[in-house]
Amino acid sequence: MATALAAPALAADIDAGLRRLKLSTIRRLAPELLVTARTQRWNPEEFLRTLIDAELAARDESNAHTRMKAAAFPVIKTIEEFDVTASSIPHATFDYLASLEWVRAAENYCAVGPASTGKSHSLIAFGIAAIQAGHKGWVLHRRRTGRDALPGPGRQLRGPGNREPAPR
């Protein structure tokens, strides 16, 4: 019965350098990939590309997870689950919003209307889509009701370009 050989550990200086550069995924995958690269005779660029792609994918996933946590959505809702026919949002408007072109154009989305018309679902779904598409910036879900539904006189909602409330 054949047993798989464990990949040899990285040299101490390489391990220390990867740790210092905070390349944890490369540090974790490199020993096994070195064995694979040797046995399959990968060229150096293929080996390096594989490591870099793995590191980038891990960072993208970690960043998306961090942004989802910071957004504090009360539930997870997606664009695919949204019933456009039951909403008062016109199809063309919904398609534009779902394309996230308004995010790239640094425009805002504000949904106002009666209860149970899909406002929260659409806000959450577009926020999640923006996070999954890798958009940075502030995606923050806050349900505003009653007196605090809108900012008071002389105050503005906080956003990427306006971190502090306007002076009173």
Side-chain angles (χ1 to χ4, degrees):
M1 182 180 272
T3 59
L5 297 175
L10 289 174
D13 60 334
I14 294 174
D15 187 69
L18 291 172
R19 183 183 303 271
R20 184 171 172 205
L21 291 171
K22 298 181 177 163
L23 298 171
S24 61
T25 301
I26 290 177
R27 209 171 116 247
R28 181 174 42 83
L29 295 178
E32 186 176 325
L33 276 176
L34 275 168
V35 172
T36 303
R38 283 186 191 122
T39 58
Q40 295 185 6
R41 297 183 181 170
W42 288 2
N43 64 36
E45 291 85 8
E46 187 174 2
F47 173 69
L48 188 56
R49 184 175 292 112
T50 302
L51 287 174
I52 290 170
D53 288 347
E55 185 70 38
L56 289 172
R59 287 183 184 209
D60 289 345
E61 184 179 331
S62 176
N63 289 336
H65 176 75
T66 300
R67 287 192 297 272
M68 283 290 288
K69 188 174 179 179
F73 295 120
V75 293
I76 301 300
K77 302 281 188 174
T78 65
I79 291 174
E80 294 76 25
E81 296 171 337
F82 191 80
D83 184 5
V84 181
T85 59
S87 170
S88 61
I89 300 173
H91 286 282
T93 302
F94 183 83
D95 290 342
Y96 171 73
L97 293 170
S99 75
L100 301 178
E101 188 59 38
W102 59 280
V103 176
R104 288 182 278 284
E107 297 173 349
N108 294 319
Y109 172 59
C110 180
V112 178
S116 299
T117 57
K119 296 179 304 297
S120 291
H121 186 148
S122 66
L123 288 165
I124 292 169
F126 296 139
I128 289 172
I131 288 170
Q132 290 172 341
H135 290 286
K136 296 176 178 76
W138 293 16
V139 175
L140 177 63
H141 179 270
R142 289 279 163 83
R143 187 178 185 138
R144 295 181 168 275
T145 58
R147 279 182 58 146
D148 70 338
L150 294 174
R155 293 182 59 96
Q156 299 174 349
L157 291 175
R158 294 172 15 155
N162 183 17
R163 295 178 187 251
E164 297 298 323
R168 291 185 184 210

